[in-house]
Structures are given as C-alpha cells and as structure tokens.
Amino acid sequence: MSNLNRISAVNTVAALCETRPEPASPANISFYGQDVFSRDAMQQYLSKATAEKLIDTIDNGAPLDPSIAADVAHAMKHWAMERGATHFTHWFLPLTGSTAEKHDSFLEIKNGQAITAFSAKNLIVSEPDASSFPSGGLRCTFEARGYTAWDPTSPAFIKRHANGATLCIPTVFCSYTGEALDRKTPLLRSMQVLRAAVKRLMKNFGFADERVSITLGAEQEYFLIDKHFYLHRPDLIQTGRTVFGAPPAKHQQLEDHYFGSIKMRILNCMTEVEHELWKLGIPAKTRHNEVAPAQFELAPIFEDMNLACDHNMLVMEMLREVADRHGLVCLLHEKPFAGVNGSGKHNNWSVNYGNINLLEPGKDPQQNAIFLTMMTAIIEAVDTHSALLRASVSGAGNDHRLGANEAPPAIISIYLGDQLTEVIEQVGKESRAAARSAGSMRVGVDTLPPLPKDATDRNRTSPFAFTGNKFEFRSPGSSQSCSGPCVVLNTIVADSVNHICDEMEKFGKNDFNRELQKLLSKIICDHKRIIFNGNGYTQEWQEEAARRGLPNTPTSLKSLGALVSSQTQELFNKYGVYNIRELESRHEVFQEDILRRISIEGGIALEIAKSMILPVARAEFGKLVDALEKCNAAHIQSGKDTLTDNANMLGDALDRLNAKIRVLEKALAAENGKVREAMDALRLVVDELESQLPDEAWPLPKYREMLFLY
Ligand code: ADP
Ligand code: MG
C-alpha cells in the first residue's frame, strides 16, 4: 500500500510556496473601525442628546434610558444596512468557550409589503432557543429558555461574508431566573466589584471619585499549517491536535524560529488578519514568529477588559477564517504537536484610576504607597486563591502545556523581579522601618528606587509575572476565553482590596502611614510564600513549592474542585459574581467538557490506529514474510538475516500495536479514566512504527512536513 495522499500533499504545497511580493501601494489605515458602531457612528447617526445618553451608559455605567432604545435600534439598522447588512444577531459567549449567534433578518411584512425593521426590543433582548447550550443543570429545558440582553459597553459590529453582512450585537446570556449561562455576565459583575473596591481604596487615600478602568491585553499564540496536510490528519480535524507523530530530527532545538523573519505566505495571511481586525476596531499591534516552528503570535494594544475579551474571541475567529482563505489552517489548540512548545494566551492585566495606572510604581511617596498597597493586595489574593486561579485555566488542552517545561507550571506563584521583591521584603520588616535602618522602606514617606523592567528569562517560566506596570498571567491556554481567569483575578483582588480597606478605615487619623505600613507588613509576612523569582521549570521548584504548601494540581480535572470549594463559594457569593448554582453548573460543564474531549481524542486515536496504521504495518510485515519465503524457495542465503531481523522487529511492533489498540478500546468502553494513559501507550508504538515503515507507505503527514512546509 503506498500513500499517494500524503506525498501529493507535499507536492501541492511545494507549488504553493512560490508567492512573490506585489508592488507596494501607499499604506492606509483610514478603514480602522469602519465596521463598528463606534462613538463617531453614534454621533453621526443619532441625535446629539441620544448619543450623549448612550455614551454616558458606556463610559459611566449609567442605566440605559429605555426611551432611547428605539432610536438607537433604528440608527444601528440604518448604519448596518448602509454597510450591506440584511441580518442581525445577538452575539454571545456560551460556556462552550466559543461564540454563538442566531441570525434574523431585518425583513418584516407589513400589509403585504416587504419592509425592514429593527425595534428596541430586537436590540435589547432576544430569546434564542438555546436549550442545547451547556448549562450544567441551570436551565432545564422544560423550565425556561435562556435570553440574551444587549451589552452596550461593547459596541455592535458588522461581520461580512461573500454575499452580505450581519449586524452583531454583543449580549449577555442568562436564564429567566437571572442566572448567568455565559462568560460575559460574570465578567461584567467582577469588573463592577473590582471597580467598587478600588474606588473605596482610593477614597481612603483621600482621592476624589474617578473612573476606574480595568485593562487587558491578550497576547494570542497560534500555529499555521497548510490545509493540504490538515485534510489528511483526521486527528487535527476532529480534535485540533495530533494524537500521533514522531518528533522530526530538527524541531525547535536551534531556536531559530523565534522572532525569525516571517515567511511571505504567512505574512500575507497575518496582514489580512490585521486588516480585518482593524476594520472591527480591534487594535492588532504586534506579530512575530514564536518558539516552535509554524508557531506565531498576535498581540493587540490593551483595552477595557470587557471589550478586550470580546475582541480576543473575534481575533481567534478571524485567524481561523483568514487562514482558511489562504489555504492554511490556524490551530488554536494548546498542544497541537507533541515535543514542541504549545500555545498560550498571556493575559496582561492592570487597573487604572483616572489616568493613573495603579500598578505603576509612582513618582511620589503617596503614589508609591498606593502601588505597594495594590501589590500587597495582589500578593494576598493570589496566595489565598491560587487553587482557584489554577482552576480558571483548566481545560483538556492546557493540561499538555502546564508543567511541560515550556509553559508555566501548574503551581501558581508570583514573579516580582529581584528589586521589587527586595522592596516588598523591606515593607515586610515593619518593626525596623520606624528606625529607618538601612534598607528599610517607609510606606507613604519614601519613593521607590527605579524598577528596571526585568527582562530575564526566569519570568517566562512564571505563571503570574509583574512586568513593569501590569501583571501578565501566562497560564491561560491559547484556545480559552480570557473571561474565566479575568473573573477570578478581578474578584480575588477586589476581596483583598476590601480587606485592606476594612483595616484602613479603622486607622487613627495621625498615624496613617505607620498604620498602613504595619498592615501591609503583616499581609506580606503571611503571604510572601507565593513570591518566586527562580526558574519555574525545575524539579527543585516543585519540591520547594511543596515545602511552602503551595497547591500543585497538574490535571485540570482535579483542579476544577477549587471551583466549588467552600472558600470559593463564599468569595463569589459575597460579591454576587457567581452564586452557588452558577459555580456548580460551571464545575459540571467544565468537567464534562474535559472528559468528552479526552474521549473524542481516544476515539479518533483508535480509529486512526486501526484503519490507517495497522493495515500499513500488516502489509509491510506481509511483504517481508513473502520476501523471506521467496528466499527460502530460491535457496538464497544472503539478505535473509536482514529480512528475518526486520520481520521480527516489525512483527514485534505489530503485536504491541495490536495489544495497545485493545487496551485503548477497553479504556474507552469502560470509561475508567484510563483513556489518556492508553492513548500515550499507543502513541509510543505508532510513533516507533512511523520511523520503521517505508516513508512512502506512511499515511499521515509527518511533523517535518506540517511544521516546516508552508
Ligand atoms: P511582552 O514583552 O510580554 O510582549 P509587551 O509590552 O509587548 O510585553 O505587552 C504585551 C501586552 O501587554 C500587549 O498586548 C500590551 O498592549 C499589553 N499591555 C501593556 N500595558 C498594559 C496595561 N497597562 N494593561 C493591560 N495590558 C497592557
Ligand atoms: Mg508577553
């Protein structure tokens, strides 16, 4: 049996690689935001008074004046139709982790005439028949349907296709009893909670009321491979990752891909992605090659967190869509290829009060005090709820990444860099501070030494790194919504800020700085075990973290327990971010998701092994046996030893292959939690066969082809 599919794919791709640069025309970004119902569009399409009211709702969270909804709807329809839209959809983020949309046209029939209409009600609420979305028991189908409700803080936008366009209205998705069925509702709640806590803190520092904004910049990693290869990999098609594949001789050892020059075909695709994103007002900024071959990154300029989370969903969608137009496939799975780096999504997070970034060391003693208070709150929050943060990045794909010495370990810790750690330690030594011994730091009196942006490699190994004026949470997986980890981060930090405020509000008037120092010092002493600036990839850190009592939960399935611990329930309940039913439902949905994905992977591994690998191995074995028989018949001695040796080796591998297939079959049937183990064992044999069997007989595109030919 020869495999023409794979070989012809290689030939086709070879012909494709020959793109040439076009003569340049002048660059132009005037189309930025053209497909967003932006402030400019609002001002253009709405009366001044209505536009002002809407913008007030967006900026300041003023309740939406229901009397303007009809005007807004009308203007939006007008604006959208001018851009080719015939349909609208409430766009929402169900617990599946992707986006959902159900389109309705603007068409209405009135007195037998076709007209277009889009009412206030159409804009504000919708009742998708959403009974098939996972809800973890929150919405029994007989009980009630879910409804979607307009989120005016994320602007409506237009999605185009070859024959028209659709007006997309970002919405929350809830049950009739008001329980969140999506990822946006809790995010908005958690942002509200953190904003309130920060306002309270700033009031304690004597600041007037200002707008608090929480910012997120999500760096997105992804792979691009040629579609011809993809189409011959049933595992990629079905699961987004290769369940088999021997590492090629060269993969990422030479470290020659990271920041390397970008191949023209890839650059063409990236540029089109960026243009599409710019049309949607998504500020794509940075692009580069990543560590693994065929791996890349896209980073936007940071934005308000709610918007940034929505935008990241669109970034993922656009990457997939545009790649397809270029004959490529974008793989967003956390670990598409074994043996080379997986993909993450680094969530850069910060909190601003008016124009002040509270995570930026200040210029004067008071701003320093605020900065140190925020740092202390974050240290307390992350240490207290590290298991919950770990749970927030759980997923079947991310398990292959966390702790694989290429991504942060499953142990959550904070990287502050040596200098800031020193400062925090000085604050921790409160008693000596009063006497101003050398190396002490008086909160509210001293300014910080300049903190260099620590560019060491160690922070790459940290799950949660301070990077100058923001924290970078590096554990989230590349395919995951940013929302889950952001909800946790916002809420736990809000709780610590509130805890600090509770104490601050008991301070005597005169000794504010001394008392603050005492308070921060105590919190730091209690929680500094979470700070770790060393190399997170080492075995020593695993041991050290165990000594420090830090949780280490490598499997996502186990880590999910933290979602329903009494500590978590109490926390989220206190702030109304998730009630107990909402937590339980998420626990159930996420668990199911992991189990189902593993079982699908097992299923496809079994199918490939039985229907693609086993037949090839059998046929090759048969050829060797035939050759041996012919040697015997013709009394040929030379070459027989080699044939015998080869047949024995292949026969042995064939037996093992068959045995491992049986084990996987049993594991899948028994649902005994051993599917991953069985897949790993099967993979060893299949990958061994890949290097034993004749190249032209191997049916699956190989790593060296997928990762290097594009
Ligand atoms: P890196 O060295 O990790 O690539 P960059 O400085 O390029 O760091 O920033 C990475 C991401 O962090 C970008 O998306 C950027 O917009 C975002 N970022 C920068 N400042 C902030 C901030 N104050 N809040 C949130 N994200 C930020
Ligand atoms: Mg980064």
Side-chain angles (χ1 to χ4, degrees):
M1 188 190 303
S2 78
N3 206 293
L4 291 174
N5 283 340
R6 195 188 116 232
I7 306 296
S8 81
V10 172
N11 294 334
T12 315
V13 176
L16 274 176
C17 297
E18 295 170 6
T19 32
R20 298 208 188 292
E22 293 285 322
S25 47
N28 168 13
I29 55 165
S30 62
F31 56 85
Y32 188 87
Q34 73 174 28
D35 285 345
V36 192
F37 193 61
S38 61
R39 276 147 212 260
D40 282 352
M42 286 169 200
Q43 267 144 1
Q44 199 184 328
Y45 286 78
L46 288 166
S47 73
K48 193 158 179 273
T50 307
E52 271 169 12
K53 277 188 190 165
L54 183 55
I55 289 172
D56 190 36
T57 298
I58 295 167
D59 284 348
N60 306 315
L64 184 78
D65 177 352
S67 71
I68 67 165
D71 288 346
V72 176
H74 183 76
M76 253 189 213
K77 185 197 80 173
H78 184 188
W79 170 84
M81 286 187 69
E82 278 187 0
R83 282 152 185 79
T86 49
H87 289 67
F88 69 94
T89 181
H90 278 199
W91 181 87
F92 59 101
L93 311 174
L95 295 181
T96 55
S98 41
T99 59
E101 43 189 77
K102 173 194 156 210
H103 300 192
D104 278 302
S105 67
F106 294 127
L107 174 77
E108 298 276 340
I109 304 292
K110 201 171 179 185
N111 303 327
Q113 294 287 315
I115 59 159
T116 60
F118 184 53
S119 67
K121 188 179 168 299
N122 291 154
L123 169 63
I124 294 176
V125 287
S126 169
E127 286 181 55
D129 181 7
S131 48
S132 298
F133 287 108
S135 76
L138 268 186
R139 191 204 52 243
C140 304
T141 34
F142 64 85
E143 185 183 88
R145 290 158 64 167
Y147 71 94
T148 51
W150 180 32
D151 165 22
T153 59
S154 180
F157 57 92
I158 280 175
K159 258 169 75 172
R160 297 174 182 285
H161 54 92
N163 275 330
T166 307
L167 169 66
C168 299
I169 299 150
T171 56
V172 296
F173 178 41
C174 294
S175 76
Y176 260 100
T177 45
E179 271 140 346
L181 297 172
D182 68 344
R183 292 172 187 263
K184 187 191 266 282
T185 310
L187 180 71
L188 292 172
R189 292 175 184 160
S190 73
M191 289 172 67
Q192 188 57 37
V193 165
L194 180 56
R195 282 196 296 255
V198 168
K199 281 193 180 198
R200 181 177 170 202
L201 180 72
M202 295 306 279
K203 195 167 166 216
N204 280 316
F205 276 105
F207 278 70
D209 196 32
E210 280 264 17
R211 197 172 117 77
V212 179
S213 62
I214 306 161
T215 50
L216 175 73
E219 300 165 62
Q220 177 71 51
E221 294 177 343
Y222 59 95
F223 281 83
L224 289 173
I225 64 165
D226 191 281
K227 205 193 289 180
H228 293 89
F229 296 135
Y230 175 83
L231 293 175
H232 293 299
R233 292 287 318 209
D235 46 358
L236 279 181
I237 294 175
Q238 294 253 293
T239 70
R241 85 174 178 101
T242 54
V243 296
F244 302 123
K250 172 184 189 286
H251 44 94
Q252 62 184 46
Q253 313 93 317
L254 303 180
E255 300 178 334
D256 52 355
H257 192 253
Y258 190 60
F259 282 10
S261 84
I262 306 172
K263 278 195 187 174
M264 203 177 305
R265 183 164 173 222
I266 299 298
L267 203 47
N268 284 342
C269 174
M270 285 176 165
T271 307
E272 192 170 325
V273 170
E274 287 156 347
H275 285 187
E276 294 294 340
L277 294 176
W278 290 349
K279 282 186 206 159
L280 289 168
I282 299 173
K285 173 83 174 165
T286 307
R287 62 190 185 200
H288 61 78
N289 284 0
E290 256 302 331
V291 171
Q295 191 188 28
F296 310 95
E297 179 181 305
L298 181 155
I301 297 171
F302 66 92
E303 298 180 281
D304 168 81
M305 179 179 273
N306 177 37
L307 196 56
C309 285
D310 283 356
H311 280 173
N312 179 255
M313 298 307 292
L314 292 171
V315 165
M316 292 194 284
E317 194 172 316
M318 208 49 93
L319 279 167
R320 283 206 189 92
E321 214 177 284
V322 175
D324 189 60
R325 284 183 222 154
H326 287 251
L328 296 163
V329 175
C330 175
L331 302 173
L332 290 164
H333 191 282
E334 283 75 16
K335 193 75 180 178
F337 303 100
V340 299
N341 275 18
S343 301
K345 172 141 42 200
H346 302 162
N347 283 9
N348 293 271
W349 171 91
S350 187
V351 184
N352 301 270
Y353 193 71
N355 294 326
I356 313 170
N357 179 346
L358 300 184
L359 301 191
E360 180 140 4
K363 290 178 198 71
D364 57 55
Q366 195 200 22
Q367 266 195 37
N368 273 186
I370 296 167
F371 168 75
L372 289 171
T373 306
M374 283 301 291
M375 285 293 144
T376 305
I378 292 166
I379 290 166
E380 179 186 72
V382 174
D383 184 41
T384 310
H385 299 285
S386 64
L388 178 58
L389 268 177
R390 163 65 185 96
S392 78
V393 298
S394 66
N398 221 9
D399 276 5
H400 297 280
R401 198 180 145 250
L402 299 180
N405 281 3
E406 50 159 73
I411 309 161
I412 300 287
S413 63
I414 301 182
Y415 175 93
L416 292 179
D418 293 339
Q419 227 162 333
L420 183 56
T421 304
E422 171 110 343
V423 169
I424 292 289
E425 272 174 1
Q426 284 170 24
V427 175
K429 292 176 201 150
E430 184 268 334
S431 54
R432 280 206 275 130
R436 187 144 181 72
S437 54
S440 73
M441 170 88 210
R442 291 173 305 168
V443 174
V445 179
D446 294 335
T447 50
L448 286 177
L451 298 173
K453 212 179 161 190
D454 201 316
T456 60
D457 250 11
R458 286 172 300 163
N459 89 30
R460 292 177 57 88
T461 73
S462 174
F464 197 74
F466 179 70
T467 47
N469 59 1
K470 59 183 159 71
F471 273 96
E472 181 174 349
F473 189 22
R474 311 172 56 96
S475 307
S478 49
S479 70
Q480 296 178 325
S481 154
C482 299
S483 157
C486 285
V487 171
V488 169
L489 205 50
N490 291 343
T491 313
I492 64 177
V493 172
D495 193 46
S496 293
V497 168
N498 278 323
H499 162 225
I500 290 175
C501 289
D502 289 342
E503 298 303 314
M504 278 173 105
E505 285 157 15
K506 296 180 205 151
F507 288 177
K509 287 279 168 274
N510 298 331
D511 273 348
F512 183 88
N513 287 335
R514 277 294 314 281
E515 299 222 36
L516 179 61
Q517 175 121 20
K518 243 204 267 180
L519 173 63
L520 300 189
S521 172
K522 163 139 195 357
I523 297 173
I524 289 167
C525 284
D526 289 348
H527 297 285
K528 67 178 181 198
R529 63 170 185 169
I530 197 74
I531 301 170
F532 175 65
N533 293 326
N535 182 348
Y537 293 171
T538 59
Q539 182 57 33
E540 290 83 74
W541 171 231
Q542 305 271 331
E543 288 155 19
E544 168 66 18
R547 275 194 293 278
R548 294 189 191 185
L550 296 175
N552 180 4
T553 320
T555 72
S556 285
L557 212 47
K558 272 218 181 103
S559 81
L560 281 174
L563 274 188
V564 284
S565 71
S566 53
Q567 179 180 301
T568 300
Q569 294 192 1
E570 211 172 285
L571 169 81
F572 283 126
N573 216 22
K574 176 172 168 192
Y575 292 105
V577 171
Y578 289 120
N579 65 28
I580 288 164
R581 292 208 329 142
E582 287 170 329
L583 281 173
E584 282 170 349
S585 72
R586 275 152 187 80
H587 182 244
E588 188 184 315
V589 170
F590 299 158
Q591 250 182 349
E592 280 279 292
D593 185 80
I594 293 172
L595 291 171
R596 283 181 189 158
R597 281 178 201 273
I598 293 174
S599 142
I600 292 170
E601 286 181 357
I604 198 69
L606 186 64
E607 191 183 326
I608 294 174
K610 279 166 78 171
S611 70
M612 297 174 81
I613 310 298
L614 196 63
V616 174
R618 261 191 328 241
E620 291 304 321
F621 180 69
K623 283 185 203 165
L624 288 171
V625 174
D626 285 351
L628 263 174
E629 277 171 1
K630 283 180 186 148
C631 285
N632 285 337
H635 306 290
I636 299 174
Q637 277 311 316
S638 56
K640 257 179 71 177
D641 286 353
T642 305
L643 285 174
T644 309
D645 181 51
N646 290 173
N648 274 325
M649 258 175 55
L650 188 53
D652 173 61
L654 193 57
D655 285 343
R656 280 182 290 126
L657 176 67
N658 197 50
K660 298 303 172 198
I661 285 176
R662 297 284 167 254
V663 174
L664 178 56
E665 248 166 10
K666 281 210 188 94
L668 280 165
E671 296 184 21
N672 57 6
K674 298 231 162 87
V675 171
R676 262 199 181 151
E677 214 175 288
M679 278 174 68
D680 289 347
L682 176 60
R683 178 174 195 145
L684 282 179
V685 189
V686 172
D687 291 359
E688 180 190 324
L689 280 167
E690 183 181 326
S691 52
Q692 260 192 54
L693 291 174
D695 184 66
E696 88 276 351
W698 193 252
L700 297 168
K702 296 187 172 184
Y703 272 29
R704 63 161 194 261
E705 293 153 353
M706 291 185 284
L707 290 172
F708 290 94
L709 304 186
Y710 54 83

